[in-house]
């Protein structure tokens, strides 16, 4: 299995603190050492970093821990290979374009006998069940909505049916974003919290690091962090229900 | 205008030396300070770095200069904006998937009244003429060859006609790769050299740096470097002819 980390905010925020703890699970506090990746939206653009080295040893992960890239939507992943070799093309998150937007996707889980018919619009480059699922999602959305990007209310039931269909093949914890929002689906294991005013000090569970967020935020900031296993020991994390698809906008879970 | 740098090799090679000189043109020895980017193929995967900060000031460019990522095909770009704002989505190179392969593209030049009809298979995320041209190239190749990736002999005349059609709209120096080869087209300004045994010392023209390649290579290595303006002062660079489309494989220009 793998681990997922997502962040959705109302103002561009850096993920240095959360990523520092998360990256420790990529070979030190946990065994997810078959590569890692992270994607940051910045406007309509994406900064995309993938590496098949363990996150704890990666010079690129080291840069991410030190260089505060600010973003309203971030998806990160550390990999423990279940399907597909350990190589760069199998590292999550994956990025593709649909409706003139980049879409970013990462998956934790294992899909059995999942071989959807792909029409060629999106074809996997690597050999993971995850990238196959991502291609199938984008293909289905394009077929369903044609050339027009739907509103979120229109998108939600279609996406919910689609992820349920895929999740019937196995574990499908996943995150998906086209830059303005973050969708998270839980099969088995996903937690979130919302940090907002009054901000307090948070203690990482994977490394001896703490941050007093009141010193680095304004009262209007709001940040949702979504992760496989809670990252801090002194904050209240909420577990997703099995089969739940949650939409985060501006740091808040919707409805 | 912008500047382009490409590398095509027979064994995975790092681009630290060439990139060090090239990056100086991103705000120091030249005025290309509206962002930069570089893409490295590694197997079927791509490491893609873009930044809208000048290359001379970018912490990510700094990492690339220090961290020897080895690749057989690399495309880099430093930008001086002519069309499209200075932002991340307008930074080259661009990456898209066709036929289950990533394709990487970068462009130097300026296209006038270039508004091809795009059918939605590939839609620009940013606002540059360059990304529009890339989307049009991939759309045309997919329409022409359907679901089957053609051989290079089949691809060449189609690509040659396509780049000539686009170049009729203005300056279209460009590089394109799907990982196993590098295509380079010259409208106005492109040079290349092939480094092979016996290797010698090369002196960068943009910074006081030299490398004795005989110390860091084996006799079988072969590296083609393609760039807007020659990067070294003591090597023999060959200028492309106007309108020339060249294919590089394993460090050698073909035919």
């Amino acid at each position: 299995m793998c681990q997922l980390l997502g962040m959705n905010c109302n103002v561009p925020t850096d993920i240095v603190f959360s990523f520092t703890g998360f990256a420790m699970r990529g070979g030190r506090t946990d065994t997810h050492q078959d590569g890692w990746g992270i994607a940051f939206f910045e406007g309509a653009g994406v900064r995309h970093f993938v590496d098949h080295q363990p996150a704890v040893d990666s010079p690129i992960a080291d840069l991410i821990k030190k260089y505060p890239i600010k973003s309203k939507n971030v998806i990160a992943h550390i990999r423990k290979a279940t399907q597909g070799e350990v190589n760069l093309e199998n590292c999550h998150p994956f990025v593709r374009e649909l409706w003139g937007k980049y879409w970013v996707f990462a998956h934790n889980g294992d899909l059995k006998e999942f071989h959807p018919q792909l029409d060629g619009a999106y074809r996997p480059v690597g050999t993971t069940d995850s990238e196959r699922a991502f291609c199938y999602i984008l293909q289905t959305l394009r077929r369903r909505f044609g050339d027009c990007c739907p509103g979120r209310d229109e998108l939600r039931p279609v996406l919910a049916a689609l992820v349920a269909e895929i999740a019937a093949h196995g574990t499908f914890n996943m995150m998906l974003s086209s830059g303005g929002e973050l969708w998270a689906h839980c099969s088995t294991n996903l937690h979130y919290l919302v940090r907002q005013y009054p901000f307090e000090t948070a203690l990482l569970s994977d490394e001896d690091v703490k941050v007093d967020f009141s010193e680095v935020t304004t009262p209007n900031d709001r940040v949702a962090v979504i992760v496989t296993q809670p990252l801090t020991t002194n904050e209240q994390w909420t577990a997703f229900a099995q089969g739940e698809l949650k939409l985060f906008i501006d740091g808040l879970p919707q409805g």
Side-chain angles (χ1 to χ4, degrees), chain A:
Chain A
M1 293 290 191
C2 312
Q3 291 210 14
L4 295 170
L5 168 63
M7 187 178 75
N8 168 271
C9 324
N10 66 342
V11 292
T13 304
D14 80 67
I15 199 168
V16 168
F17 175 74
S18 295
F19 185 74
T20 298
F22 186 68
M24 295 301 286
R25 299 177 183 177
R28 188 150 312 154
T29 58
D30 208 334
T31 58
H32 304 82
Q33 51 192 6
D34 299 330
W36 66 281
I38 190 166
F40 303 80
F41 278 95
E42 203 173 299
V46 172
R47 293 181 192 265
H48 180 221
F49 301 88
V50 280
D51 203 353
H52 60 273
Q53 296 185 63
V56 292
D57 300 329
S58 159
I60 300 171
D62 204 47
L63 175 82
I64 306 294
K65 282 185 266 180
K66 290 175 185 157
Y67 178 43
I69 297 171
K70 297 204 171 198
S71 172
K72 289 171 69 177
N73 281 286
V74 180
I75 294 178
H77 183 271
I78 46 178
R79 182 162 184 246
K80 183 169 181 175
T82 50
Q83 292 186 36
E85 283 175 60
V86 178
N87 57 31
L88 198 65
E89 61 266 32
N90 286 340
C91 290
H92 312 214
F94 301 99
V95 184
R96 297 292 167 92
E97 175 264 318
L98 170 63
W99 299 316
K101 295 176 177 188
Y102 290 120
W103 290 71
V104 169
F105 170 87
H107 166 220
N108 152 16
D110 198 11
L111 302 172
K112 306 288 185 198
E113 292 172 28
F114 179 67
H115 299 287
Q117 198 159 8
L118 297 176
D119 64 12
Y122 299 94
R123 204 182 284 185
V125 174
T127 52
T128 61
D129 51 345
S130 311
E131 193 187 7
R132 223 152 43 228
F134 183 36
C135 289
Y136 181 61
I137 289 172
L138 296 186
Q139 167 183 304
T140 306
L141 294 182
R142 180 185 278 178
R143 281 189 183 184
R144 174 66 182 75
F145 295 106
D147 273 356
C148 296
C149 180
R152 285 163 190 143
D153 290 346
E154 241 187 313
L155 182 58
R156 182 190 270 276
V158 176
L159 194 58
L162 193 48
V163 295
E165 177 194 338
I166 297 170
H169 290 268
T171 307
F172 193 59
N173 303 303
M174 73 95 195
M175 293 184 191
L176 176 71
S177 175
S178 67
E181 79 305 312
L182 193 147
W183 299 91
H185 176 259
C186 173
S187 276
T188 54
N189 226 340
L190 218 49
H191 298 77
Y192 76 94
L193 60 69
V194 174
R195 292 196 185 111
Q196 56 193 343
Y197 185 82
F199 289 94
E200 298 188 353
T201 295
L203 304 166
L204 279 184
S205 50
D206 294 82
E207 188 155 44
D208 188 17
V209 173
K210 63 180 173 181
V211 163
D212 181 353
F213 283 110
S214 70
E215 292 176 357
V216 292
T217 50
T218 75
N220 298 322
D221 294 6
R222 195 171 50 225
V223 177
V225 179
I226 307 109
V227 70
T228 304
Q229 291 295 340
L231 283 168
T232 56
T233 52
N234 67 326
E235 295 177 296
Q236 193 64 43
W237 293 80
T238 304
F240 280 58
Q242 277 200 8
E244 192 176 4
L245 175 68
K246 251 186 168 13
L247 168 61
F248 293 84
I249 299 173
D250 289 338
L252 270 190
Q254 308 292 304

